[in-house]
Amino acid sequence: MPQTLTITDNRTGKQYELPIEHETVRATDLRKIKVKDDDFGMMVYDPAFMNTASVKSKITFIDGDKGILRYRGYPIEQLAEHSSSFLEVAYLVLMGELPTKSQLDEWRYNIKHHTFVHENIKKLMEGFRYDAHPMGMFISTIAAMSTFYPEAKNIFDPESRQKQILRLIGKVPTIAAFAYRHTKGLPYVYPENELTYAGNFLSMMFKMSSERYQVNPILEHALTVLFILHADHEQNCSANAMRSIGSSHVDPYSACAGAAAALWGPLHGGANEAVIHMLDEIGSIQNVPAFVKDVKDGKGRLMGFGHRVYKNYDPRAKVIKKMAYEVFSVTGKNPKLDIALELERIALEDDYFVKRKLYPNVDFYSGLIYQAMGFPMDLFPVLFAIPRTVGWLAQWVEHISDADQKIARPRQIFLGADERPWTPIEKRS
Ligand code: ACO
């Protein structure tokens, strides 16, 4: 079977044969299609990249119709069940293979030796207002890190690049926890490197006295799994931001800050907070049918439902839903769970949602768990950003190592005014 696509331009009657590779044609090949020689050539119009592959990647595979998510070939369900730690999965996502015992030990050692932040970073964070949003603090502090490590701009020096990767993965939980403690007016708790990645984060968040914080193993495990589920998700909005910013060859701290900013929006990492607000607004199970009717009438969206890629149950939501019960066995049930379950039951039977293939996404249950564990709502996007830093870095390394890539620069269809002469102010209407 010939691996080509033949296009006939009905304006000119000319035919063009474009090579097909990996079920795609190169958009630049369309530029040959012209009516006049001096035409720019055909482009594709694809707002929001609905059907445009902008990269070739080996990191994360998603089949949205079948509800499949794999990191480097390993199904997310298996990683969530069997991984010994978040750092093991971080290694896999970044390096491409599961680590051997000695590789994992070395990786852990290296990351744990980058968990402390410069005291001036602490001072910088102390400068935020008492009621600063922790995600705003997180984004700004990540950006500020580029000023502490100016060598980070040497992105094509493998040694420097690896150092910044270790620093970012090591320090993001510390910055996240400091942001939280700042908003509470609590003293910052320094990292304890004997603890696991998730355990240390819980300790920096919730430790109150000088004694070691007793990490509850069920909650530590739950947070590890949540981190694993959020480590990467291929070309989502924030990964695309990371790649796009990184394509200018800026340092990874600046690019990560931009990616984190993209994550903050309510249609991306802010959705689990929106779910909690929605459940609060619904208030009780009896109000669920009326709320669903309002959504169907176009009065708002069912937050935590629907996904650009998944047209089936989000596999991460399945893992989280199961885990919610383990967490609630320690914390007590989040009273909003019953409303969420009823919402899901009604929506999954309703034609409106079935026809549009709207299923619960990862955010539908994650907020309930975070809330039960004692995390305030405004910390939810920060909790997402901690593990996703690994994904951003993996996407960034792949991007800047890809010979096909150049600085990201989309085209536009210009529909504005044609050339016109400047009008003096007294003649303007
Ligand atoms: N509730 C009600 N209707 C919805 C929802 C929803 N949550 N999501 C999509 N729809 C409807 C749209 O109104 C549209 O209907 P129409 O064809 O009659 O106009 C149809 O389904 C398709 O929706 P789009 O907006 O075109 O889908 P898109 O792929 O652009 O949006 C998104 C995906 C942004 C996630 C959307 O489903 C949404 O807003 N969901 C709620 C927010 C949310 O949970 N975001 C988290 C995403 S996961 C993550 O970032 C980790």
Side-chain angles (χ1 to χ4, degrees):
M1 184 166 47
Q3 291 298 304
T4 58
L5 178 75
T6 304
I7 297 177
T8 307
D9 185 346
N10 293 324
R11 299 170 302 175
T12 58
K14 278 196 205 154
Q15 276 204 343
Y16 302 85
E17 199 166 329
L18 311 186
I20 297 175
E21 196 192 1
H22 310 299
E23 298 294 302
T24 52
V25 291
R26 283 197 176 243
T28 44
D29 284 347
L30 296 173
R31 292 273 293 278
K32 294 179 219 155
I33 305 177
K34 296 180 176 188
V35 174
K36 292 187 263 95
D37 280 352
D38 60 350
D39 280 353
F40 182 77
M42 185 71 77
M43 294 190 294
V44 289
Y45 176 55
D46 189 11
F49 303 120
M50 296 287 287
N51 195 36
T52 294
S54 61
V55 301
K56 291 176 185 163
S57 182
K58 294 184 175 170
I59 305 168
T60 294
F61 173 78
I62 299 176
D63 183 327
D65 291 329
K66 297 196 183 118
I68 293 173
L69 168 61
R70 296 181 201 134
Y71 300 157
R72 304 282 187 181
Y74 295 100
I76 193 69
E77 297 82 356
Q78 290 185 27
L79 293 169
E81 193 177 339
H82 302 300
S83 303
S84 64
S85 65
F86 172 69
L87 290 183
E88 186 178 16
V89 174
Y91 185 99
L92 170 72
V93 170
L94 269 151
M95 310 294 190
E97 296 295 336
L98 283 168
T100 61
K101 166 98 178 56
S102 62
Q103 285 169 331
L104 182 57
D105 288 347
E106 191 187 342
W107 175 244
R108 273 204 187 112
Y109 178 91
N110 286 336
I111 289 184
K112 288 187 174 180
H113 282 75
H114 287 96
T115 51
F116 278 70
V117 293
H118 194 291
E119 281 294 290
N120 283 0
I121 288 190
K122 206 180 93 184
K123 282 195 194 135
L124 182 133
M125 295 188 78
E126 280 165 357
F128 285 104
R129 286 199 66 179
Y130 68 97
D131 59 351
H133 194 292
M135 191 61 174
M137 293 174 70
F138 181 85
I139 293 168
S140 318
T141 309
I142 299 294
M145 279 171 76
S146 69
T147 66
F148 289 81
Y149 308 109
E151 77 278 12
K153 67 179 187 310
N154 302 325
I155 60 166
F156 295 111
D157 169 358
E159 213 175 292
S160 162
R161 197 158 72 195
Q162 190 63 7
K163 192 72 168 282
Q164 315 318 323
I165 288 173
L166 297 174
R167 281 184 174 137
L168 268 159
I169 300 174
K171 291 179 201 320
V172 284
T174 314
I175 293 169
F178 282 13
Y180 165 75
R181 306 283 296 200
H182 178 83
T183 59
K184 292 281 172 220
L186 293 166
Y188 300 171
V189 175
Y190 285 9
E192 280 194 50
N193 290 338
E194 310 74 55
L195 300 175
T196 64
Y197 195 77
N200 173 49
F201 178 61
L202 287 170
S203 160
M204 290 189 291
M205 284 286 301
F206 299 124
K207 183 171 163 175
M208 276 306 173
S209 66
S210 56
E211 279 162 41
R212 171 168 289 182
Y213 170 77
Q214 288 304 318
V215 183
N216 180 297
I218 294 183
L219 300 187
E220 183 181 10
H221 174 251
L223 192 61
T224 298
V225 172
L226 281 159
F227 279 177
I228 290 171
L229 298 179
H230 286 88
D232 192 51
H233 211 231
E234 52 118 306
Q235 305 314 313
N236 56 83
C237 178
S238 55
N240 179 58
M242 182 81 192
R243 283 184 179 258
S244 189
I245 300 170
S247 76
S248 74
H249 294 174
V250 72
D251 69 86
Y253 301 104
S254 304
C256 264
L263 184 72
W264 195 2
L267 297 187
H268 192 7
N272 51 10
E273 179 175 348
V275 171
I276 302 290
H277 288 304
M278 175 186 75
L279 296 175
D280 279 337
E281 188 194 320
I282 296 172
S284 75
I285 292 190
Q286 293 85 288
N287 299 336
V288 169
F291 181 82
V292 171
K293 183 174 176 305
D294 281 352
V295 169
K296 285 161 54 178
D297 290 345
K299 297 181 199 150
R301 290 200 159 189
L302 182 48
M303 297 313 286
F305 256 67
H307 199 277
R308 171 61 57 79
V309 178
Y310 293 118
K311 302 302 167 197
N312 200 323
Y313 214 102
D314 180 336
R316 301 168 300 174
K318 265 190 205 153
V319 176
I320 291 187
K321 188 175 171 186
K322 212 169 93 201
M323 215 177 55
Y325 292 98
E326 285 169 36
V327 171
F328 297 156
S329 73
V330 178
T331 62
K333 192 168 89 180
N334 189 323
K336 297 182 197 64
L337 177 69
D338 291 334
I339 305 175
L341 289 169
E342 181 65 359
L343 254 184
E344 181 186 329
R345 188 188 68 76
I346 294 189
L348 291 182
E349 285 174 357
D350 192 295
D351 238 27
Y352 174 95
F353 298 92
V354 173
K355 257 213 268 168
R356 289 170 178 76
K357 299 188 177 167
L358 299 170
Y359 292 87
N361 60 47
V362 67
D363 293 315
F364 194 65
Y365 288 105
S366 63
L368 290 176
I369 299 181
Y370 289 143
Q371 203 175 39
M373 287 172 81
F375 293 112
M377 266 194 283
D378 55 9
L379 206 77
F380 291 179
V382 181
L383 292 169
F384 193 158
I386 295 171
R388 185 53 63 85
T389 298
V390 167
W392 293 330
L393 289 168
Q395 300 284 343
W396 169 72
V397 171
E398 194 176 67
H399 201 87
I400 59 171
S401 316
D402 181 347
D404 270 0
Q405 293 296 340
K406 289 173 182 289
I407 187 165
R409 176 49 170 103
R411 293 279 174 181
Q412 65 169 3
I413 302 171
F414 180 70
L415 299 176
D418 210 346
E419 184 180 346
R420 47 186 174 163
W422 188 82
T423 320
I425 197 159
E426 54 294 353
K427 293 206 174 144
R428 294 176 206 161
S429 53

